Amino acid sequence: MMDTTVTIAGQTFDHCLMNAAGVMCMSEEELTQVAQSSATTFVTKTATLEARNGNQEPRYFDFATNSINSMGLPNYGLAYYLDFLASEPEELQSRRFLSIAPLQPDELPILLRCISVANFRGFVELNLSCPNVPGKPQIGYDFEQTNRLLATAFSLYDAPLGVKLPPYFDMVHFDCMAEILNRYPLAFINSINSIGNGIVLNGNQMAIHPKNGFGGIGGAVIKATALANVHAFYQRLHPSIKIIGTGGVTCGRDVYEHILCGAHLVQVGTALHQEGVGIFQRLQQELHAEMKLNNVHSFDALRGKVMYI
Ligand code: DHB
C-alpha cells in the first residue's frame, strides 16, 4: 500500500499535486476544471483588491517545455474568488488556496479583512514575487519589507497563511529570508515563482510585448533553481512551516525530486498550461511508478531524504 497523504495546518490532502497560481485558475470555468481533475486541490489566480486587465498582449509564450510570461496580474478581483470559494462545500473550502497580492502595503490589511469577513478559512498564499507589474519590485527581494508585511499579516489574521517566494541564488539570502520567515507562524512557503525578467526571442523579435520583452521564466529550465530553493528552505525553516515545491515539473520523476528535496505539495504551471488538466493523472501514475522503483511507500518516507555524496 502506498500512503500519499499530505497534511498541512491540520488539513489532509489525498496526494501532492495541484496547479501553480496563474495557470488554469483565472475564471470559475478554469477553477472548476482543476477541481474536477485529479489535482488534490487548486490555487486561484493571484487576486488584487480590484479587478485588473493586466499587460498588453502577446504576454505569454511557450518555448519547448518552458514558458515566458508578463501577464501583469490580470484577475477578476478578490470578491470574485471569495464568491467562487464560498460556492463550494465547507470541507472543500478549507483545503483551497487563495492567492493574493497587495499592490501597496496598505492594501494588505484590507485584503485580509475581506477574507475574514467572507469567512474563508482555507489557505491564503500571499504572493511576494510577481515580477511583471511595471514599476513594482518583487517584495520577496526586499527583506525588510517582507518582514513588515508579515508582521502586519500576523497581527491581523489567524487562519492558515503562507508566502509565495521568488527564487534566491545566494546562500546568504537563504539564511536571511529563512531567519525572517521563522519569526512567524507560517503554514507554508511556496518556492519558487518564475525566474523573473528573462528574455526569449521568437525569430528576431522579443517573444512577448510588455516591459520591452522581459518576463518570468517557467518550465523545465527552472527545475534546478526550484529544487535548490525547496531544499535550502527545508534545511533552514522550522518544521511546522511546510514547503510547496513549484518549478520545472514535467514528469513523475520531477515530482519525486521535489519531495526528496523537502516538498509537501508540488505545483505544476507551464506543463499544465501546455498539456491541460489530464497531466495530473499522468504525473500521479509516473510518481507512483518512481516510488515503487525506489521501494518507497509513503511521501513521509521520501520527503527531505536526499542523499549527499
Ligand atoms: C503574475 C506573474 C507572477 O509570477 C505572479 O506571481 C503573479 C502574477 C502576472 O504577471 O500576472
Side-chain angles (χ1 to χ4, degrees), residues 21 45-46 55 69-74 127 129-133 164 193-194:
K45 173 67 186 171
T46 297
N55 295 338
N69 87 84
S70 184
M71 306 300 286
L73 277 172
N127 187 350
S129 47
C130 174
N132 301 330
V133 180
K164 177 86 172 266
N193 208 320
S194 55

Side-chain angles (χ1 to χ4, degrees), residues 9-185:
Q11 294 296 327
T12 298
F13 301 86
D14 62 346
H15 64 89
C16 68
L17 290 163
M18 62 185 292
N19 68 304
V23 180
M24 289 292 299
C25 59
M26 172 105 155
S27 64
E28 289 189 15
E29 290 72 23
E30 289 180 333
L31 287 164
T32 301
Q33 267 199 63
V34 180
Q36 292 175 352
S37 77
S38 301
T40 196
T41 186
F42 63 69
V43 59
T44 67
K45 173 67 186 171
T46 297
T48 49
L49 201 50
E50 306 295 340
R52 291 169 53 88
N53 291 325
N55 295 338
Q56 215 180 354
E57 302 203 26
R59 58 191 187 180
Y60 191 105
F61 181 80
D62 284 309
F63 59 106
T65 50
N66 312 293
S67 64
I68 182 169
N69 87 84
S70 184
M71 306 300 286
L73 277 172
N75 76 97
Y76 292 113
L78 179 62
Y80 175 93
Y81 299 99
L82 286 172
D83 284 350
F84 177 70
L85 291 162
S87 74
E88 291 198 304
E90 218 166 285
E91 70 277 8
L92 272 180
Q93 273 179 57
S94 55
R95 283 198 294 276
R96 298 312 194 194
F97 287 75
L98 170 63
S99 174
I100 60 166
L103 288 173
Q104 288 102 225
D106 62 358
E107 269 185 26
L108 181 61
I110 307 171
L111 291 165
L112 293 174
R113 184 102 267 273
C114 292
I115 294 167
S116 300
V117 168
N119 223 6
F120 175 71
R121 305 288 294 173
F123 294 85
V124 170
E125 180 172 286
L126 175 60
N127 187 350
L128 302 180
S129 47
C130 174
N132 301 330
V133 180
K136 300 272 178 201
Q138 291 169 77
I139 298 166
Y141 289 141
D142 181 337
F143 298 117
E144 280 164 27
Q145 208 201 333
T146 296
N147 184 44
R148 281 195 297 274
L149 275 184
L150 290 178
T152 301
F154 285 104
S155 70
L156 298 169
Y157 192 74
D158 63 359
L161 184 125
V163 288
K164 177 86 172 266
L165 297 172
Y168 300 97
F169 303 93
D170 187 294
M171 302 318 282
V172 174
H173 290 172
F174 290 129
D175 293 340
C176 291
M177 187 47 70
E179 191 273 319
I180 290 167
L181 298 170
N182 276 329
R183 296 177 198 170
Y184 300 98

Side-chain angles (χ1 to χ4, degrees), residues 229-305:
N229 277 259
V230 166
H231 196 59
F233 284 114
Y234 182 79
Q235 290 175 307
R236 288 166 176 76
L237 292 181
H238 190 276
S240 63
I241 306 179
K242 307 306 185 205
I243 297 169
I244 301 178
T246 305
V249 172
T250 65
C251 66
R253 174 70 200 181
D254 298 330
V255 183
Y256 183 93
E257 290 180 5
H258 267 276
I259 300 171
L260 200 54
C261 285
H264 269 71
L265 294 171
V266 178
Q267 296 186 341
V268 190
T270 298
L272 169 61
H273 187 266
Q274 295 185 351
E275 195 170 326
V277 295
I279 195 172
F280 293 113
Q281 202 171 3
R282 174 174 71 80
L283 291 175
Q284 220 177 316
Q285 283 165 357
E286 291 174 4
L287 173 60
H288 285 198
E290 188 66 27
M291 289 173 72
K292 283 195 188 121
L293 197 65
N294 287 274
N295 204 22
V296 180
H297 301 289
S298 71
F299 288 165
D300 287 343
L302 180 62
R303 190 176 308 110
K305 302 283 185 352

